[in-house]
Each structure stands twice: as C-alpha cells, then as structure tokens.
C-alpha cells in the first residue's frame, strides 16, 4: 500500500518510518536483520522507514514484534507515569484497508511494554496471522459485540459476545470475523523483555 495514510491521529508516514528506524538503530539491528526477524522483505522495510510506503497493520505489528516492542510505542511518545486520561481524540487509531480498525486505549509508559486496544472487524474480515511475541508475554481477549474466530497455533476457538480468552503471547495468533455483523473485541497485551535474538546483528545501515 503506497500513498494515503491509515492513521487517524495525525502521525505522518514519514514520522512513523523515522520512529521505526530509531527503534532499530537503538537496538543495533541492521535493516537486513530486521527483515529476517520480522518476515517482511528488506525492500518493504526500507520503504517504510523512508516514508515511501504505508505498511498494513499486520506488517506494522510484525516490525514492532521483531523490535521487541508494540505498535503503540511506534505510534506515540512515552508519557510521564501518573494519572493519564486519554480523550477519544487523543487515542491512536489505525485503520487497515482490509476493513478493520485498531484503537489503542493505553498510554505508552517508559520501560513498560503493555498495550490495551479495541479492535473492530467488519463482516467477513480476516485480520491475518500475527507473529509470536517474546516468551513470557501474555494476551487477553474479550469480545464486546459479534463473534470472533481466534486461532492460536493453528487451533481455532470461536468466541461470541461476552466471551473472553487468554493465551501466551509467544504463540502464532490470528483474528477473523466470518459473520455478517461487525465484531468488536478488546485485547490487553504485556510483552516480556526482548531476548538476545534482537541484539545479534552487526552495525547500522541507512
């Protein structure tokens, strides 16, 4: 996807690319190594970092996971710990052209990898499969409206309004709405500190 933005909160694609590059360099990960860790082509990673191409939400998540962080940290600056009120117009919202929306409800805090989000899948939308996070990570799902097909390591679980689920974050996980009404669910995620795998590559590049 090139061109137009998927972000409703004012963040430009160039700013996002700069943040991804900054996180990569802070971890001493080369462009080639980030592509290897994320499963995203090196050319795509380069275009995203330069602000030349808009990533899908799935690609953005794979890059964040490979960097040992969350999409929220790529989209927003950390705030000072304390009482934080996030008005609706301050919440980071990402809309994927496939027909789904991801709204981050938690602030980004220094040195804490936690994310709380509200996701809406339109009828018939498959959000795709997300990469495993670092071992020791945890994810919690609660369905507010509609029905959700949650697949963990190839095993399907069907949730409906009012249902909740937990799974270790280091499993492959996928979300889909096979039905004729929108599905709205909440997901809370805590990420364990990144392991040595993210510090194995040599020097920086562009």
């Amino acid at each position: 996807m090139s061109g137009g933005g998927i972000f409703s909160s004012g963040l430009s694609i160039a700013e996002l690319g700069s943040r991804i590059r900054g996180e990569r360099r802070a971890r001493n990960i080369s462009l080639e190594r980030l592509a290897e860790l994320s499963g995203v082509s090196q050319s795509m990673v380069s275009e995203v970092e330069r602000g030349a191409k808009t990533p899908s939400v799935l690609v953005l998540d794979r890059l964040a996971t490979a960097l040992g962080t969350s999409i929220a940290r790529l989209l927003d600056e950390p705030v000072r710990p304390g009482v934080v009120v996030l008005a609706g117009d301050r919440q980071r919202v990402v809309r994927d052209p496939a027909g789904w929306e991801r709204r981050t409800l938690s602030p980004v805090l220094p040195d804490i990898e936690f994310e709380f989000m509200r996701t809406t899948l339109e009828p018939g939308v498959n959000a795709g499969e997300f990469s495993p996070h670092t071992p020791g990570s945890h994810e919690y799902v609660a369905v507010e409206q509609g029905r959700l097909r949650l697949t963990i390591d190839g095993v399907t679980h069907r949730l409906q309004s009012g249902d909740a689920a937990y799974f270790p974050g280091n499993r492959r996980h996928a979300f889909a709405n096979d039905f004729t009404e929108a599905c709205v669910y909440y997901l809370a995620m805590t990420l364990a500190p990144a392991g040595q795998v993210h510090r194995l590559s040599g020097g920086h590049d562009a």
Side-chain angles (χ1 to χ4, degrees):
M1 293 181 303
S2 58
I6 58 175
F7 311 108
S8 70
S9 45
L11 185 74
S12 72
I13 301 305
E15 289 171 323
L16 173 64
S18 178
R19 288 183 180 182
I20 292 172
R21 185 187 305 111
E23 292 288 337
R24 173 174 65 78
R25 289 178 170 174
R27 290 162 173 75
N28 196 32
I29 299 174
S30 69
L31 196 70
E32 180 180 15
R33 180 62 170 155
L34 179 55
E36 179 184 347
L37 289 169
S38 65
V40 177
S41 71
Q42 187 172 337
S43 61
M44 170 64 103
V45 175
S46 176
E47 287 181 305
V48 169
E49 286 195 355
R50 290 185 286 108
K53 181 165 286 191
T54 305
S56 67
V57 180
L58 192 60
V59 165
L60 188 58
D61 182 84
R62 286 175 178 169
L63 293 175
T65 298
L67 290 167
T69 190
S70 64
I71 288 180
R73 193 170 295 276
L74 296 180
L75 297 180
D76 217 343
E77 296 291 341
V79 300
R80 182 178 302 173
V83 177
V84 180
V85 176
L86 284 178
D89 60 0
R90 291 182 55 208
Q91 296 165 7
R92 295 294 191 182
V93 181
V94 184
R95 294 187 175 93
D96 194 284
W100 58 290
E101 174 186 286
R102 183 185 191 280
R103 177 181 293 269
T104 301
L105 304 176
S106 53
V108 177
L109 300 173
D111 303 317
I112 296 176
E113 291 293 354
F114 171 83
E115 191 170 10
F116 178 43
M117 68 197 81
R118 181 181 189 269
T119 299
T120 302
L121 300 180
E122 294 300 328
V125 169
N126 186 338
E129 184 175 84
F130 293 80
S131 300
H133 300 292
T134 309
S137 301
H138 306 276
E139 300 202 33
Y140 307 81
V141 179
V143 179
E144 176 186 281
Q145 173 188 319
R147 289 174 285 180
L148 175 69
R149 172 162 54 89
L150 172 66
T151 305
I152 309 298
D153 278 348
V155 178
T156 297
H157 308 271
R158 300 190 184 278
L159 309 180
Q160 60 185 4
S161 178
D163 290 348
Y166 160 80
F167 58 93
N170 64 327
R171 309 281 181 89
R172 293 179 292 110
H173 46 288
F175 305 89
N177 177 9
D178 300 323
F179 305 98
T180 57
E181 67 170 315
C183 174
V184 179
Y185 65 92
Y186 292 87
L187 189 146
M189 174 177 67
T190 61
L191 298 180
Q196 285 291 105
V197 65
H198 291 152
R199 297 192 291 272
L200 291 179
S201 70
H204 301 303
D205 48 14

